[in-house]
Amino acid sequence: MDHFPIFLRVEGRRIVLSGGGEAALAKLRLLMKTAGHITVFSADPAPEIVAWAENGKLRLVRRAMAPGDTLCAALFYAADEDDAEDARTAAIARADGALVNVVDNLEDSQFITPAIVDRDPVTIAIGTEGAAPVLARAIKADLEERLPVALGPLARIGKTFRKAAEVLPFGRARRDFWRDYYFNAGPAAITGGETAVQGALDALLTDHLARKARPGHVHFVGGGPGDPDLLTMKARRLLDEADVVIYDRLISAPILELARREAVMIDVGKEAFGPSTPQETINDLIVEHAQKGAQVVRLKSGDATVFGRLDEEIDALDAHQIAWSVVPGITSASAAVAEIGQSLTKRGRNSSVRFLTGHDMKGFADHDWATLARPGEVAAIYMGKKSARFIQGRLIMHGADRHTPVTVIENASRPEQRILDTTLDALPTALAAAEMSGPALTFYGLAPRDAVQAQTDNPYSTPIQAQEAL
Ligand code: SAH
């Protein structure tokens, strides 16, 4: 973040702009929404600016700006659309101590004006640090469409309703009340005007005061393979509502960003074979927060029911009679197979697929190798990097063809995704050469579909050829 977004108090402060053309008009339309005192310097102002000055919306000085004109100004806009003049006025404003913006010149500006969605007092500022103004505008258009116009009046009326803060306890009770107001009771009452909204607020408060405290609840939520677009809508909503989020090591940063800002975030990351938070500690943490009445999201990578130690946590909750539910997620096998353009099952090739773990609590995990070694079998191997040589040895010992295709997808769905296309024979060497440090899913019996590496949906995905790796 090169630019830090803040909301600057401009009420009663000077905002100075130099310029009288199109760029000036565009900025002034925005600035006139503020409670700042606007002064425009222009020898040749557009008729709109003259009219605004006549209506008292701004002060117009019909000459070029001079030193001292920006004294005590909070903000200055150089909007003459002339590089030399902008540089001259910006230098004056800088010397006078104002924050300077040179229109369409990121380099020489001390601040940028974001795209703004205005539901005053609710204001949404969107910035791309100058990288993608088109994107900012698209996001703005999207939000404009989504946010009810009544949001502004609702917020203004809500702000004056102090009773809620006096009688409802801080935290979830108050949050539930306001959520109900903004999304249900408020919009329903707004057509009746301010009195109707006031009435709705009173009724809503009576209703909420009569409610018993919601008991704690734990949602086991599958966080998917890492790409936030692969979260379910339900997972998104629960993250947005959670009081406490207890998450694993593989949960990606963009997904954590979706949690409510006030939520307590607890990292219980477990490093395979490495130091870890003991399972009992995790169980205790979940129970402790749920018993306090929190809505807990226990966020696990992929799908919570696949190699997720879910049952141990459920048992702990059952022992304390705490309600829970499971929200499915996209398991890494599904995400990884999509990236190589294959199917997990295919008519005439394999009518079943196995999800294996490379190691379990006792070390390398044993499986029905003899069955798996038959031609056409497919397995998705989780946590299989360290056990690659062991798995290879067992399969070959049980008669598997050394040329059976094996594909390893590291960081499936994430920007750092890599695909290693190899064979059972070359697997351990190719893996060692690829030096993968991220989570990786190994497909035994599947090769990337021809040319899929060039066309993969993930623009970052780097294919690694086994031959190269060797
Ligand atoms: N519940 C998870 C699996 C947890 S076990 C799921 O359903 O996916 C952790 C293993 O999952 C990792 O060792 C790796 O094999 C796999 N994994 C998780 N995220 C992955 C990703 N983005 N890409 C590839 N493999 C991943």
Coordinates of all heavy atoms in Angstrom, one line a residue, residues 198-237:
Q198 N -38.1 6.0 12.8 CA -38.0 6.2 14.2 C -38.8 5.1 14.9 O -38.4 4.5 15.9 CB -38.4 7.6 14.7 CG -37.5 8.7 14.2 CD -36.2 8.7 14.9 OE1 -35.9 7.9 15.8 NE2 -35.4 9.7 14.6
G199 N -40.1 5.0 14.5 CA -41.0 4.0 15.0 C -40.5 2.6 14.9 O -40.5 1.8 15.8
A200 N -39.9 2.3 13.7 CA -39.4 1.0 13.4 C -38.2 0.7 14.4 O -38.0 -0.4 14.9 CB -39.0 0.9 12.0
L201 N -37.4 1.7 14.6 CA -36.2 1.6 15.5 C -36.7 1.2 16.9 O -36.2 0.3 17.6 CB -35.4 2.8 15.6 CG -34.3 3.0 14.5 CD1 -33.8 4.4 14.4 CD2 -33.2 2.0 14.7
D202 N -37.7 1.9 17.4 CA -38.2 1.6 18.8 C -38.8 0.2 18.9 O -38.5 -0.5 19.8 CB -39.3 2.7 19.1 CG -38.7 4.0 19.5 OD1 -37.7 4.0 20.2 OD2 -39.3 5.0 19.1
A203 N -39.6 -0.2 17.8 CA -40.2 -1.5 17.9 C -39.1 -2.6 17.8 O -39.1 -3.6 18.5 CB -41.1 -1.7 16.7
L204 N -38.1 -2.3 17.0 CA -37.0 -3.3 16.8 C -36.2 -3.4 18.1 O -35.8 -4.6 18.5 CB -36.1 -2.8 15.7 CG -35.0 -3.8 15.2 CD1 -35.7 -5.0 14.5 CD2 -34.1 -3.1 14.2
L205 N -36.0 -2.3 18.8 CA -35.3 -2.4 20.1 C -36.0 -3.2 21.1 O -35.5 -4.1 21.8 CB -35.0 -1.0 20.6 CG -34.1 -0.9 21.8 CD1 -32.7 -1.6 21.5 CD2 -33.9 0.5 22.3
T206 N -37.3 -3.0 21.2 CA -38.2 -3.8 22.1 C -38.0 -5.2 21.8 O -37.9 -6.1 22.7 CB -39.7 -3.3 22.0 OG1 -39.7 -1.9 22.0 CG2 -40.5 -3.9 23.1
D207 N -38.1 -5.5 20.5 CA -38.0 -6.9 20.1 C -36.7 -7.5 20.5 O -36.6 -8.6 21.0 CB -38.2 -7.0 18.5 CG -38.0 -8.3 18.0 OD1 -38.4 -9.3 18.6 OD2 -37.4 -8.4 16.9
H208 N -35.6 -6.8 20.2 CA -34.3 -7.3 20.5 C -34.0 -7.5 22.0 O -33.3 -8.4 22.4 CB -33.2 -6.5 19.8 CG -32.9 -6.9 18.4 ND1 -31.8 -7.5 18.0 CD2 -33.7 -6.7 17.3 CE1 -31.9 -7.8 16.7 NE2 -33.1 -7.3 16.2
L209 N -34.6 -6.5 22.8 CA -34.3 -6.6 24.2 C -35.0 -7.9 24.8 O -34.6 -8.4 25.8 CB -34.9 -5.4 24.9 CG -34.0 -4.2 24.8 CD1 -34.7 -2.9 25.4 CD2 -32.7 -4.4 25.6
A210 N -36.1 -8.3 24.1 CA -36.8 -9.5 24.6 C -36.1 -10.8 24.2 O -36.5 -11.8 24.7 CB -38.3 -9.4 24.1
R211 N -35.2 -10.7 23.3 CA -34.5 -11.9 22.8 C -33.6 -12.5 23.9 O -32.9 -11.8 24.6 CB -33.7 -11.6 21.6 CG -34.6 -11.4 20.4 CD -33.8 -11.3 19.2 NE -34.6 -10.8 18.1 CZ -34.3 -10.7 16.9 NH1 -33.0 -10.8 16.5 NH2 -35.1 -10.3 15.9
K212 N -33.6 -13.8 23.9 CA -32.6 -14.5 24.8 C -31.2 -14.4 24.1 O -31.2 -14.4 22.8 CB -33.0 -15.9 25.0 CG -34.1 -16.1 26.0 CD -33.9 -17.4 26.8 CE -35.2 -17.9 27.3 NZ -36.0 -18.7 26.3
A213 N -30.2 -14.4 24.8 CA -28.8 -14.5 24.2 C -28.7 -15.7 23.3 O -29.2 -16.8 23.7 CB -27.8 -14.5 25.2
R214 N -28.2 -15.5 22.1 CA -28.1 -16.7 21.2 C -27.0 -17.6 21.8 O -25.9 -17.1 22.2 CB -27.5 -16.1 19.8 CG -28.5 -16.4 18.7 CD -27.9 -16.3 17.3 NE -27.1 -15.2 17.1 CZ -26.4 -15.0 15.9 NH1 -26.4 -15.9 15.0 NH2 -25.7 -13.9 15.8
P215 N -27.3 -18.9 21.8 CA -26.2 -19.8 22.3 C -25.0 -19.8 21.3 O -25.2 -19.6 20.1 CB -26.9 -21.1 22.4 CG -28.1 -21.0 21.5 CD -28.4 -19.6 21.3
G216 N -23.9 -20.2 21.8 CA -22.7 -20.3 20.9 C -23.0 -21.4 19.8 O -23.8 -22.3 20.0
H217 N -22.3 -21.3 18.7 CA -22.4 -22.3 17.6 C -21.1 -22.4 16.9 O -20.4 -21.4 16.8 CB -23.5 -21.8 16.7 CG -23.9 -22.9 15.7 ND1 -25.0 -23.6 15.7 CD2 -23.2 -23.3 14.6 CE1 -25.1 -24.4 14.7 NE2 -24.0 -24.3 14.0
V218 N -20.8 -23.6 16.5 CA -19.5 -23.7 15.7 C -19.8 -24.2 14.3 O -20.5 -25.2 14.1 CB -18.6 -24.8 16.4 CG1 -17.3 -25.0 15.6 CG2 -18.3 -24.3 17.8
H219 N -19.3 -23.5 13.3 CA -19.5 -23.9 11.9 C -18.1 -24.4 11.5 O -17.1 -23.7 11.5 CB -19.8 -22.7 11.0 CG -21.2 -22.1 11.4 ND1 -22.4 -22.6 10.9 CD2 -21.5 -21.0 12.1 CE1 -23.4 -21.9 11.3 NE2 -22.9 -20.9 12.1
F220 N -18.1 -25.7 11.1 CA -16.8 -26.2 10.5 C -16.9 -25.8 9.0 O -17.7 -26.4 8.2 CB -16.7 -27.7 10.6 CG -16.5 -28.1 12.1 CD1 -17.6 -28.5 12.8 CD2 -15.3 -28.0 12.7 CE1 -17.5 -28.8 14.2 CE2 -15.1 -28.4 14.0 CZ -16.2 -28.8 14.8
V221 N -16.1 -24.9 8.6 CA -16.2 -24.3 7.2 C -15.0 -24.8 6.4 O -13.8 -24.6 6.8 CB -16.3 -22.8 7.3 CG1 -16.3 -22.2 5.9 CG2 -17.5 -22.3 8.1
G222 N -15.3 -25.3 5.2 CA -14.3 -25.7 4.3 C -13.8 -24.4 3.6 O -14.6 -23.7 3.0
G223 N -12.6 -24.1 3.7 CA -12.0 -22.8 3.1 C -11.6 -23.0 1.7 O -11.1 -22.0 1.0
G224 N -11.7 -24.2 1.1 CA -11.2 -24.4 -0.3 C -9.7 -24.4 -0.4 O -9.0 -24.3 0.6
P225 N -9.2 -24.5 -1.6 CA -7.8 -24.6 -1.8 C -7.0 -23.3 -1.7 O -5.7 -23.4 -1.7 CB -7.7 -25.1 -3.3 CG -8.9 -24.6 -3.9 CD -10.0 -24.6 -2.9
G226 N -7.6 -22.2 -1.6 CA -6.8 -21.0 -1.5 C -7.4 -19.8 -2.2 O -7.4 -18.7 -1.7
D227 N -7.9 -20.0 -3.4 CA -8.5 -18.9 -4.2 C -9.8 -18.5 -3.5 O -10.7 -19.3 -3.4 CB -8.7 -19.4 -5.6 CG -9.4 -18.4 -6.5 OD1 -9.8 -17.3 -6.0 OD2 -9.6 -18.7 -7.7
P228 N -9.9 -17.3 -3.1 CA -11.2 -16.9 -2.4 C -12.4 -17.0 -3.3 O -13.5 -17.2 -2.8 CB -10.9 -15.4 -2.0 CG -9.7 -15.0 -2.7 CD -8.9 -16.2 -3.2
D229 N -12.2 -17.0 -4.6 CA -13.4 -17.2 -5.5 C -13.9 -18.6 -5.4 O -15.0 -18.9 -5.9 CB -13.0 -16.9 -7.0 CG -13.0 -15.5 -7.3 OD1 -13.5 -14.7 -6.5 OD2 -12.6 -15.1 -8.4
L230 N -13.2 -19.5 -4.8 CA -13.6 -20.9 -4.7 C -14.3 -21.1 -3.4 O -14.6 -22.3 -3.0 CB -12.5 -21.8 -5.0 CG -11.9 -21.8 -6.4 CD1 -10.8 -22.8 -6.6 CD2 -13.0 -22.2 -7.4
L231 N -14.5 -20.1 -2.6 CA -15.3 -20.3 -1.4 C -16.8 -20.4 -1.7 O -17.2 -19.8 -2.7 CB -15.2 -19.0 -0.5 CG -13.9 -18.9 0.4 CD1 -14.0 -17.5 1.1 CD2 -13.9 -20.0 1.4
T232 N -17.5 -21.1 -0.9 CA -19.0 -21.1 -1.1 C -19.6 -19.7 -0.6 O -18.9 -19.1 0.2 CB -19.7 -22.2 -0.3 OG1 -19.4 -22.0 1.1 CG2 -19.2 -23.6 -0.8
M233 N -20.7 -19.4 -1.1 CA -21.4 -18.2 -0.6 C -21.6 -18.3 0.9 O -21.6 -17.3 1.6 CB -22.7 -17.9 -1.4 CG -22.5 -18.1 -2.8 SD -22.8 -16.7 -3.8 CE -24.5 -16.2 -3.6
K234 N -22.0 -19.5 1.3 CA -22.3 -19.7 2.7 C -21.0 -19.4 3.6 O -21.1 -18.8 4.6 CB -22.8 -21.1 3.0 CG -23.4 -21.3 4.3 CD -24.2 -22.6 4.3 CE -25.0 -22.7 5.5 NZ -25.8 -23.9 5.5
A235 N -19.9 -19.9 3.1 CA -18.6 -19.7 3.8 C -18.4 -18.2 3.9 O -18.0 -17.7 5.0 CB -17.5 -20.4 3.1
R236 N -18.6 -17.5 2.9 CA -18.3 -16.0 2.9 C -19.2 -15.4 3.9 O -18.8 -14.5 4.6 CB -18.7 -15.5 1.5 CG -17.5 -15.4 0.6 CD -17.8 -14.4 -0.5 NE -17.4 -13.1 0.0 CZ -16.7 -12.2 -0.7 NH1 -16.3 -12.5 -1.9 NH2 -16.4 -11.0 -0.2
R237 N -20.5 -15.7 3.9 CA -21.4 -15.1 4.8 C -21.0 -15.4 6.2 O -21.0 -14.5 7.1 CB -22.9 -15.6 4.5 CG -23.9 -15.0 5.4 CD -25.3 -15.3 5.0 NE -25.6 -16.7 5.0 CZ -25.8 -17.5 6.1 NH1 -25.7 -16.9 7.3 NH2 -26.1 -18.7 6.0

